[in-house]
Amino acid sequence: MEQFEPDRLSAPQLAAMRRSLTSGRGALTRRSLLRASGVGALTVGGLSALTSCGIPPAKREGGAAAASDDHSEREKEINFSNWTEYMDTSEDEKSRPTLEEFTKRTGIQVKYTEDINDNVEFFGKIRPQLAAGQDTGRDLIVVTDWLAARMIRLGWVQKLDPARLPHAYANLSPQFRSPDWDPGRSYSYPWTGISTVIAYNAKATEGRKVDSVTQLLDDPTLKGRVGFLTEMRDSVGMTLLDQGKDPANFTTADFDAAVGRLQKGVDSKQIRRFTGNDYTADLDKGDIAACLAWAGDVIQLQAGNPDIKYAVPAAGYITSSDNLLVPAKARHKANAERLVDYYYELPVAARLAAFISYVCPVEGVKDELATIDPALAENTLIVPDKAMTAKSHAFRSLSAEEETAYEEKFTKLIGA
């Protein structure tokens, strides 16, 4: 079993954390950044429709996380921690319609807190309680797949009761059903999927389509105007695919070859820079002509700039997920499971997807989404069709040793 040593993070891991906090997802949420840039986020129709150290693990190896007594029957409440701008709100931003509907239906009050700005930072907040076998004060959290994997390995997550998750079990998209870190989704369910694609400004490319990592790295007309991401799994994963390698099953030699390919792009000055969220402003202006991009950003940028286009490479694209987990010792596990299942009901899932514009992990949501906004329902960046799904690839889980070694190489590549 992994022994997490919070006070002994390697220099590369610390560098990765700083990148996330200063220029990555932790600096500004994607939707917040676009709002700050003055870029429209959603169609009017869509918004109006939404108004109505070797810390001891907490379990024995191979077992389920130790659960506390569940107080759900006596205490009709849930403490839910999530990222900012990751929940539907009314047009006046004074209420959260789907959460209010859940409370009206069940009588369960939801204390919803937007206190996750970065996976590592948030883990630092809850780690001491988890390590001590104590309640974190949260019944439901949303973290990215690599951290979800680590928490499950450490035994700091409760196993979910499938009897309380009929909609989630039935409606979970096959694309997300069995990640290598949680086969069969025993401990987690995805809140959203995050697709990494290629985005380009058609005005800046003079109408030329950009649809492969090879083109990003070799097309002389793009020299000095190409962006890659400071997230290792996205940039290296997309390069692995371009080189014919499977991100779910690669060797260190494969990883090194991908980093070497990117290094050539740096040395030749083909790559302008590695970016976090801040690529959106440069892409919108045309300072970056083409780049790796997160699909949710592309949707939101397109609402304000018709020159923003995207392409899914023939070689495929990287997909990851943000995931719902019930921490060990949470007081209201059953209530939390009811809320998870609620967001897998098709009408509720459609309302959430219409607001946040990320990949909806709920199969069959398309018709419901069409009643809110037909254009969103046809957008394969939100509701992937079979062809899109077939091109999706997950970056495999890394051991602690691999994480350190790979981050060190990637940090050197991007000069962080």
Side-chain angles (χ1 to χ4, degrees), residues 389-409:
T389 300
K391 291 183 176 182
S392 70
H393 297 266
F395 197 97
R396 71 170 173 82
S397 298
L398 301 177
S399 67
E401 293 78 12
E402 287 177 323
E403 182 92 30
T404 296
Y406 292 175
E407 281 289 1
E408 182 175 7
K409 294 171 183 178

Side-chain angles (χ1 to χ4, degrees), residues 193-209:
I194 304 169
S195 300
T196 304
V197 297
I198 292 175
Y200 61 99
N201 185 316
K203 184 176 181 180
T205 65
E206 298 181 345
R208 290 188 301 277
K209 184 177 183 179

Side-chain angles (χ1 to χ4, degrees), residues 88 98 101 105 342-353 365:
D88 60 294
T98 58
E101 183 178 307
R105 183 194 300 185
Y342 168 75
Y343 276 101
Y344 274 79
E345 295 179 15
L346 298 183
V348 181
R351 294 170 74 184
L352 180 66
V365 77

Side-chain angles (χ1 to χ4, degrees), residues 4-5 8-18 120 150 399-401 403-404 407-408 411:
F4 184 67
E5 299 184 8
R8 296 185 182 181
L9 288 173
S10 67
Q13 288 172 319
L14 287 170
M17 179 178 67
R18 293 189 193 101
V120 176
R150 173 166 289 179
S399 67
E401 293 78 12
E403 182 92 30
T404 296
E407 281 289 1
E408 182 175 7
T411 298

Side-chain angles (χ1 to χ4, degrees), residues 4-243:
F4 184 67
E5 299 184 8
D7 297 323
R8 296 185 182 181
L9 288 173
S10 67
Q13 288 172 319
L14 287 170
M17 179 178 67
R18 293 189 193 101
R19 287 200 304 273
S20 184
L21 287 168
T22 58
S23 64
R25 193 171 175 188
L28 281 174
T29 65
R30 295 165 193 158
R31 182 180 296 274
S32 294
L33 182 66
L34 293 168
R35 283 181 173 174
S37 301
V39 178
L42 291 171
T43 63
V44 174
L47 277 175
S48 62
L50 290 170
T51 61
S52 19
C53 79
I55 293 176
K59 68 177 181 72
R60 294 174 299 173
E61 186 170 359
S68 61
D69 293 335
D70 192 7
H71 299 263
S72 293
E73 283 296 322
R74 298 186 298 276
E75 300 173 2
K76 296 296 185 181
E77 61 185 82
I78 302 170
N79 292 301
F80 183 6
S81 285
N82 204 348
W83 299 74
T84 57
E85 308 291 346
Y86 231 14
M87 178 66 73
D88 60 294
T89 61
S90 61
E91 212 166 349
D92 61 8
E93 300 188 352
K94 293 183 178 180
S95 64
R96 306 185 189 281
T98 58
L99 284 178
E100 290 184 357
E101 183 178 307
F102 174 79
T103 296
K104 184 177 180 180
R105 183 194 300 185
T106 65
I108 299 170
Q109 297 290 328
V110 182
K111 181 182 178 182
Y112 184 76
T113 308
E114 295 179 325
D115 61 345
I116 305 179
N117 295 306
D118 170 79
N119 285 288
V120 176
E121 179 191 49
F122 178 68
F123 190 46
K125 292 180 183 178
I126 63 176
R127 182 188 64 227
Q129 294 99 320
L130 291 169
Q134 298 172 353
D135 177 19
T136 66
R138 298 166 175 87
D139 303 301
L140 196 61
I141 62 175
V142 178
V143 297
T144 305
D145 44 19
W146 65 266
L147 179 56
R150 173 166 289 179
M151 291 182 67
I152 291 169
R153 287 198 303 269
L154 287 166
W156 291 348
V157 179
Q158 294 194 48
K159 193 169 186 177
L160 300 174
D161 183 353
R164 297 195 186 101
L165 298 161
H167 295 97
Y169 182 82
N171 295 337
L172 177 60
S173 169
Q175 180 180 358
F176 297 99
R177 278 195 178 272
S178 196
D180 66 356
W181 48 269
D182 187 15
R185 292 287 182 179
S186 297
Y187 296 90
S188 68
Y189 270 89
W191 180 248
T192 59
I194 304 169
S195 300
T196 304
V197 297
I198 292 175
Y200 61 99
N201 185 316
K203 184 176 181 180
T205 65
E206 298 181 345
R208 290 188 301 277
K209 184 177 183 179
V210 182
D211 61 3
S212 71
V213 170
T214 291
Q215 189 176 358
L216 287 175
L217 292 172
D218 293 344
D219 187 339
T221 68
L222 300 176
K223 185 171 183 177
R225 299 186 297 154
V226 169
F228 277 75
L229 294 166
T230 55
E231 297 294 333
M232 177 186 71
R233 289 165 177 80
D234 293 311
S235 288
V236 175
M238 292 290 281
T239 306
L240 283 167
L241 284 168
D242 191 70
Q243 294 180 315

